Amino acid sequence: IKKKKKNLRANLLHSVTLLSVVQGQQSRKMAIFAAVFILTTLLILYSSSNNIEPVYAPFHMAANHAIKTTDLKKWSGKDGYVPVYGNKNMTLLCHHCALVTSSSHVLGSQAGEEIDRTECVIRMNDAPTSGFESDVGNRTTLRVVAHSSVFRVVRRPNDFLHHTDANAAVIFWGPPNKIGKEAKGTLNRLIQRVSMTYSNLSCFSIAPSKMRRFDSLFHRETGRDRQKSHSWLSTGWFTMVIAIEICDNIKVYGMVPPNYCGKKPGSKKLPYHYYKPRGSDECLTYIQNESGRRGNHHRFITEKQVFARWAKQYNITFTHPKW
Ligand SMILES: *[C@@H]1O[C@H](CO)[C@@H](O)[C@H](O)[C@H]1NC(C)=O
Ligand SMILES: *[C@@H]1O[C@H](CO)[C@@H](O)[C@H](O)[C@H]1NC(C)=O
Ligand SMILES: *[C@@H]1O[C@H](CO)[C@@H](O)[C@H](O)[C@H]1NC(C)=O
Ligand SMILES: *[C@@H]1O[C@H](CO)[C@@H](O)[C@H](O)[C@H]1NC(C)=O
Ligand SMILES: *[C@@H]1O[C@H](CO)[C@@H](O)[C@H](O)[C@H]1NC(C)=O
C-alpha cells in the first residue's frame, strides 16, 4: 500500500506540473482531464487508507450447540501416556499445581517464589527458568512439549531437563507419524536418546488413541470438527487438559481472559513469549490465528473460552492477570 501511495503521489505531482504547463495556451480539455485525474487519485488514496484496518472475523463455536460436559477427571485413562523408554507409568498426581504459561504477562510478576512453593510446577515447550527465576520460579515438575519444540528443548538439555524435581516428567505431543511408538523419524530418535540419558526423568508421548480423544474433546466443547475447521490444538490446550487430569487445584500464571484482546489489537504491544522480547505481539498472534481460514490455525481465543468454562467446573484460578 505504501508503494502504491508513493506512486500515486508521484503521479499527482506530475499531473499538477502538467496542468501549469498547459495553462493559458492549451485547450481547457487538458485542464479538465487533469482535474478529474487529481480527484480520482485522491479518492483512491482515501479509500485505500481506510482499508488498512484488519478485519476480525473470528472462529465461531457452532451455533446452538449443546455443550456436552466431559468429566476430565474420569476422561483421563492411564493408557494415554506411553513411556518413551523403559516401563514407567504416568502416575503424577498433585493437590496443588502452578501452570506457568509462556506469555510475557508473567514478566514483572515477582511470582517466582510463590510458584516454587507450589507442590507441582507445570511448564510448556522451551520456556526457560534461568534468567527469569524471580518471575517464573526455578522448579519444574512437568513439562509439556510440542513436536515442533523438541529440537529446541533437546538442544539445551541443561536448561530444560536438569534442575527438575525428583519425580519430574516430560510429556511430548504430536501427530502419531512424528511422535510415539510407531513413528520412525529423527524426532522420535531424539526423544528416545534424551529419555535414556536422563533416566531419572519420566518421558512420555501421547498415544495416538489419546490424540484422537483430544480432537473429540475439542469437537464436544466447541461444536466444531478440528480438522474440518482447519484448527490446530495448541500446547496450551494439551497442558490445561493434562493439568486438570493430574491436579486438584490449578493456579494459572500469565494467561489472559478470552475477551482480553478485543476486536482489534491494542495499542500496547506485549510479546507472545516472555523469553522472546522481540517476538510477535501476543494479541496480534491470537487474533490472526483466530480469524485464519486458509491453512491450519490455533484457536487461542476459543480455547480460552473453553478454559473459562472449565474454571467453573474444576478448581482453576488465573493470576497475572487475575480473572
Ligand atoms: C506400570 O504399570 C504396569 C501395569 O499396571 C505394571 O505392570 C508395571 O510394573 C508398572 N511399572 C512401574 C515402573 O511401576
Ligand atoms: C531457586 O533455587 C534456589 C536453590 O535451589 C533457591 O534458593 C531460590 O530461592 C529459588 N527461587 C528463586 C525464585 O530463585
Ligand atoms: C537426573 O539425572 C541427571 C543425569 O544423570 C543428573 O545430572 C541430575 O542431577 C539428576 N536429577 C535429579 C533430580 O536427580
Ligand atoms: C477442588 O479442591 C478441593 C480441595 O483441594 C478438592 O477436595 C476437590 O476435589 C477439588 N475439585 C475438583 C473438581 O478437582
Ligand atoms: C499463529 O500462532 C503461531 C504461534 O503458535 C504463530 O507462530 C503464527 O505466526 C500465528 N499465525 C498467524 C497467522 O498469526
Side-chain angles (χ1 to χ4, degrees):
I1 282 165
K2 254 195 189 141
K3 205 172 161 196
K4 196 166 124 196
K5 271 191 176 175
K6 219 174 172 181
N7 282 340
L8 285 170
R9 262 192 213 119
N11 281 345
L12 201 64
L13 270 176
H14 184 233
S15 51
V16 169
T17 331
L18 213 68
L19 192 62
S20 55
V21 167
V22 299
Q23 232 171 19
Q25 29 161 306
Q26 285 292 332
S27 66
R28 277 173 55 200
K29 234 184 189 171
M30 202 71 178
I32 290 166
F33 170 78
V36 167
F37 181 82
I38 290 167
L39 276 175
T40 317
T41 308
L42 285 175
L43 210 73
I44 290 169
L45 271 179
Y46 177 77
S47 62
S48 70
S49 66
N50 265 2
N51 276 339
I52 295 170
E53 290 300 318
V55 180
Y56 176 42
F59 177 84
H60 282 294
M61 293 208 197
N64 313 321
H65 104 91
I67 296 153
K68 295 183 203 76
T69 44
T70 307
D71 186 346
L72 289 173
K73 294 281 180 191
K74 295 205 178 101
W75 180 80
S76 50
K78 293 271 175 275
D79 55 336
Y81 305 103
V82 184
V84 177
Y85 176 73
N87 68 339
K88 288 170 179 168
N89 293 318
M90 174 66 192
T91 51
L92 200 58
L93 285 176
C94 320
H95 292 298
H96 292 273
C97 293
L99 198 171
V100 185
T101 70
S102 305
S103 164
S104 64
H105 281 271
V106 299
L107 294 177
S109 65
Q110 290 295 311
E113 282 184 17
E114 183 186 293
I115 290 168
D116 283 339
R117 281 198 304 271
T118 313
E119 185 190 348
C120 296
V121 181
I122 304 173
R123 300 182 197 278
M124 292 180 246
N125 294 327
D126 57 332
T129 55
S130 62
F132 302 94
E133 290 90 344
S134 61
D135 290 330
V136 304
N138 59 18
R139 282 181 42 225
T140 306
T141 321
L142 172 68
R143 193 176 276 277
V144 180
V145 178
H147 57 105
S148 49
S149 290
V150 167
F151 285 112
R152 273 172 299 206
V153 167
V154 168
R155 199 165 53 206
R156 283 158 50 204
N158 287 351
D159 287 1
F160 304 117
L161 307 171
H162 259 299
H163 316 300
T164 47
D165 291 9
N167 61 342
V170 180
I171 294 177
F172 295 98
W173 74 267
N177 64 340
K178 289 202 173 128
I179 300 257
K181 282 274 178 277
E182 266 87 71
K184 294 275 182 288
T186 322
L187 221 54
N188 223 39
R189 279 198 299 276
L190 265 178
I191 292 172
Q192 274 168 352
R193 192 160 349 125
V194 159
S195 309
M196 275 189 258
T197 313
Y198 295 86
S199 53
N200 50 10
L201 193 66
S202 303
C203 295
F204 302 95
S205 61
I206 300 184
S209 59
K210 180 119 183 171
M211 286 300 291
R212 283 193 293 275
R213 272 160 51 211
F214 273 99
D215 277 353
S216 55
L217 179 67
F218 181 81
H219 199 158
R220 276 198 304 279
E221 295 288 339
T222 66
R224 301 285 304 267
D225 183 273
R226 182 189 65 76
Q227 278 175 311
K228 282 188 201 141
S229 65
H230 300 291
S231 305
W232 268 327
L233 298 177
S234 73
T235 301
W237 174 268
F238 286 97
T239 308
M240 184 61 89
V241 174
I242 294 167
I244 294 172
E245 285 178 2
I246 67 173
C247 314
D248 293 331
N249 297 271
I250 306 165
K251 192 161 180 181
V252 183
Y253 293 80
M255 186 181 287
V256 298
N259 59 359
Y260 177 86
C261 292
K263 296 231 178 251
K264 286 176 192 167
S267 48
K268 197 162 153 238
K269 302 247 178 277
L270 276 172
Y272 174 58
H273 284 155
Y274 68 79
Y275 48 94
K276 287 180 195 150
R278 282 172 216 283
S280 56
D281 174 60
E282 182 177 66
C283 275
L284 199 61
T285 304
Y286 286 179
I287 288 174
Q288 286 181 346
N289 266 274
E290 195 74 8
S291 45
R293 290 285 176 273
R294 260 162 291 159
N296 284 2
H297 296 275
H298 291 302
R299 307 304 183 182
F300 295 114
I301 297 173
T302 301
E303 288 184 356
K304 283 173 183 56
Q305 286 166 354
V306 176
F307 297 165
R309 217 157 57 218
W310 286 344
K312 292 186 197 131
Q313 199 178 340
Y314 308 102
N315 297 318
I316 307 174
T317 55
F318 300 87
T319 187
H320 306 292
K322 220 177 195 52
W323 55 286

